[in-house]
Amino acid sequence: MTPAYPQPGVDLDNARFIIAWRERGRLVLQRCRGCGAMIFYPRTMCPGCWSPDLAWVEASGRGVVVSYALVHRPNHESFNGEVPIILAEIALAEGPMMIARIIANNPATIRTGLSVKLVSDVGRYPLPTFTT
Amino acid sequence: MGAGSSTVGITGCGHSIYLKKSDRTLFSFLAEAARDALASAGLTRDDIDGLAVCSFELPPDNAVTLGEQFGLSLSWAYLGTAGGAGPVASVANSIRAVESGQAKAVLCIAGDNYDVSGHYRLMDRFNKALINYGVPHGFGGANGLFAMIQRKHMETYGTTRAQLGRLAVDMRANARANPAALLHGAMSLDDYLDARVIADPLRLFDCVLPCQGAEAVVVTTLDRAPPGKGVRALAARERHNHPVGELTPLRGGWELFRDALYADAGMGPADMQFVQAYDDYPIMVAIQLEDLGFCPKGEVGRLFDANSFTWQGSLPVNTGGGQLSCGQSGAGGGMIGLVEAVRQLRHEGGERQIANVSRGLVSGYGMVGYGHGLSTSAIILERLP
Ligand SMILES: [Zn+2]
């Protein structure tokens, strides 16, 4: 049985991001039409130039581990059977940084600098989640 | 705040008992600290016309409704918004409020009533970004985020757990001279290194014990201080959301205001006789010491190797044991160092009193956003001659 993970809130600022992941397993990011910046997490306006004119673009789903933690005491009981949770700061190929979970059979193989890509099972994890 | 004040300062300090768990209300801890601080200042309730409070659990109450609970008629009320950086900022703002005539005497209180599970609940609803993009990953609360910061510092600069452990061990030695500390047990470097893993590379003694308690100071004109008990602020600064857009930076707002802070005080880091640094994790004390000029960025490991941090040490840090050994009373963790600083400068440090101490630095940090603490603050304090 799939454990009941805590779910993100969905609102008009982030619905495209949440739904693209939930329904298609794809990562979408905002691109500012004012200054060209790629943005994560979703905002109502570009934090760089304050333009409200933001487009949604599909990302490659690839990135590189910048730092990581092996969490043995998660914040919610639904994760207790899956420790350690591999929590990573990931530099996405498109530029933005993201904090996300990595799924790996052996957490000891995780290293800074490792290339990661989105997991392929659609609908299991509440947010874009990566694997090696 | 910028430059300090020669006429307004801190004239009293106090704290409540710290408890791991009890049925007591938040108000009862805030009130206990308030009474203790008033007595220390030699003032009564009727003297207080300003109230500044920092507390995560206070909502739906606020500074004004806390005033009602305490029966205070207020001409100035301030609710801190900067987490663990808030209490230091609240004192700087209270000094300005008294200088500008908005209040005659301000009671500054910070505290919460948490236990371990309460702390995780707090982090699960801390702000929209964490709720939406951290909590659903099983991020592990602040521990998961600061583990990433510590790993990055270790891999970037070669900082070791043994170096960070020296600080934790010395702070525990300080706590053993502080009857108010919750954690009194002797701790060796091996105890620190071999402790249970919480969020690798963080282990148990890298993490604070969430608890119940409160801290308080009184800010008023220094001529009202009991003889030999006045403490003035030479300089204070705060900065929020620096560096903009980084998730797990190895630096904070201190690096932006450090030079102005020391220029306003007319002295530098070498003149500080102690540092009370915000110690949610040893790695954050390390980053504060770098950003506040005690060593160049990335060289804190060598600073740790070359110094001792007990109250008798070459660089006394968190002379009461800090949050890591006293417990973290929520937002009270942002005032525990300030109260310890005032206590030391009033020469009321008891067993752990630094000899002939006259000035020191207090640093605040907090308000975890999407990845790290967004808020920083610092104040330089001096004992009135
Ligand atoms: Zn823009």
Side-chain angles (χ1 to χ4, degrees):
Chain A
M1 196 182 90
T2 305
Y5 296 125
Q7 297 294 318
V10 183
D11 56 35
L12 288 179
D13 293 342
N14 73 3
R16 292 280 295 270
F17 165 77
I18 300 290
I19 290 166
W21 173 251
R22 195 175 278 168
E23 297 183 355
R24 297 190 292 121
R26 307 311 283 259
L27 170 62
V28 298
L29 300 171
Q30 289 169 307
R31 186 179 62 222
C32 174
R33 290 197 178 99
C35 71
M38 299 293 294
I39 300 163
F40 184 80
Y41 50 85
R43 318 276 170 124
T44 188
M45 67 179 181
C46 171
C49 76
W50 279 26
S51 168
D53 191 6
L54 306 176
W56 288 98
V57 296
E58 192 151 316
S60 64
R62 294 185 175 275
V64 171
V65 174
V66 172
S67 189
Y68 64 97
L70 306 180
V71 177
H72 289 257
R73 170 61 162 98
N75 49 298
H76 190 275
E77 60 189 10
S78 58
F79 300 99
N80 286 353
E82 303 172 30
V83 297
I85 301 297
I86 306 166
L87 186 74
E89 179 181 9
I90 295 169
L92 298 174
E94 291 75 16
M97 310 297 284
M98 174 184 272
I99 293 170
R101 188 174 167 190
I102 297 175
I103 306 300
N105 289 331
N106 181 4
T109 62
I110 301 300
R111 289 284 179 274
T112 298
L114 199 65
S115 292
V116 291
K117 58 179 194 276
L118 288 173
V119 298
S120 53
D121 37 353
V122 176
R124 173 166 166 77
Y125 300 103
L127 289 171
T129 296
F130 292 79
T131 188
T132 51
Chain B
M1 159 172 127
S5 171
S6 55
T7 56
V8 179
I10 300 166
T11 65
C13 67
H15 66 102
S16 76
I17 190 173
Y18 273 45
L19 297 173
K20 287 181 184 170
K21 204 176 177 70
S22 77
D23 293 331
R24 283 181 52 174
T25 63
L26 172 58
F27 290 136
S28 82
F29 290 100
L30 299 177
E32 186 182 337
R35 289 193 305 271
D36 196 33
L38 269 192
S40 161
L43 298 181
T44 65
R45 192 210 62 161
D46 293 342
D47 294 314
I48 298 299
D49 60 358
L51 181 63
V53 61
C54 298
S55 173
F56 294 117
E57 287 288 298
L58 189 60
D61 280 289
N62 56 48
V64 169
T65 60
L66 182 64
E68 183 199 39
Q69 290 275 346
F70 286 4
L72 293 170
S73 173
L74 300 170
S75 58
W76 188 75
Y78 173 103
L79 181 63
T81 184
V88 166
S90 80
V91 168
N93 281 287
S94 297
I95 289 171
R96 284 291 179 258
V98 174
E99 273 193 321
S100 64
Q102 294 178 84
K104 291 186 176 65
V106 181
L107 178 62
C108 303
I109 321 178
D112 270 299
N113 54 346
Y114 285 123
D115 55 25
V116 173
S117 61
H119 179 76
Y120 279 95
R121 281 197 302 276
L122 170 78
M123 292 307 297
D124 270 7
R125 52 179 168 77
F126 209 56
N127 53 63
K128 264 284 198 293
L130 278 182
I131 291 167
N132 286 344
Y133 313 117
V135 171
H137 278 309
F139 78 129
N143 296 332
L145 303 176
F146 285 90
M148 293 194 290
I149 292 175
Q150 178 167 321
R151 172 166 276 111
K152 190 183 281 185
H153 203 284
M154 292 167 71
E155 294 186 348
T156 304
Y157 299 122
T159 310
T160 66
R161 289 197 66 243
Q163 288 168 330
L164 296 167
R166 293 201 49 183
L167 177 76
V169 165
D170 282 359
M171 282 171 50
R172 178 61 62 86
N174 287 338
R176 285 164 66 79
N178 178 4
L182 278 180
L183 300 173
H184 275 114
M187 182 170 81
S188 70
L189 187 58
D190 284 341
D191 293 334
Y192 168 88
L193 291 172
D194 299 338
R196 172 160 65 88
V197 178
I198 301 293
D200 184 276
L202 298 180
R203 293 184 182 231
L204 184 63
F205 298 123
D206 291 305
C207 305
V208 292
L209 173 67
C211 70
Q212 306 174 303
E215 307 276 336
V217 298
V218 173
V219 170
T220 188
T221 50
L222 287 163
D223 57 10
R224 300 173 82 180
K229 299 298 185 186
V231 171
R232 75 187 201 99
L234 300 178
R237 295 270 168 170
E238 61 186 285
R239 188 82 192 192
H240 311 279
N241 196 26
H242 170 78
V244 174
E246 287 192 34
L247 303 191
T248 62
L250 302 181
R251 58 207 172 100
W254 308 284
E255 68 172 3
L256 289 188
F257 62 62
R258 169 187 65 210
D259 291 348
L261 181 81
Y262 290 126
D264 284 338
M267 51 185 70
D271 300 306
M272 298 300 111
Q273 295 168 322
F274 60 73
V275 180
Q276 312 290 350
Y278 190 86
D279 60 324
D280 48 353
Y281 302 90
I283 188 61
M284 286 316 305
V285 176
I287 288 172
Q288 276 162 85
L289 291 172
E290 290 176 341
D291 282 356
L292 287 163
F294 289 85
C295 66
K297 178 54 68 184
E299 294 184 16
V300 73
R302 265 170 277 175
L303 183 82
F304 282 9
D305 286 339
N307 284 280
S308 55
F309 304 100
T310 66
W311 60 273
Q312 299 162 296
S314 53
L315 176 57
V317 173
N318 296 355
T319 48
Q323 302 176 69
L324 281 167
S325 283
C326 291
Q328 180 183 59
S329 59
M335 195 174 271
I336 191 171
L338 188 92
V339 168
E340 173 66 13
V342 172
R343 197 181 282 128
Q344 286 283 346
L345 294 172
R346 289 163 63 106
H347 296 174
E348 295 172 350
E351 254 190 87
R352 62 184 188 279
Q353 179 65 48
I354 304 169
N356 303 314
V357 68
S358 62
R359 72 182 86 91
L361 174 67
V362 185
S363 173
Y365 177 62
M367 194 43 64
V368 171
Y370 182 62
H372 70 283
L374 300 173
S375 292
T376 56
S377 57
I379 192 167
I380 295 176
L381 298 175
E382 183 177 66
R383 174 186 168 85
L384 273 194

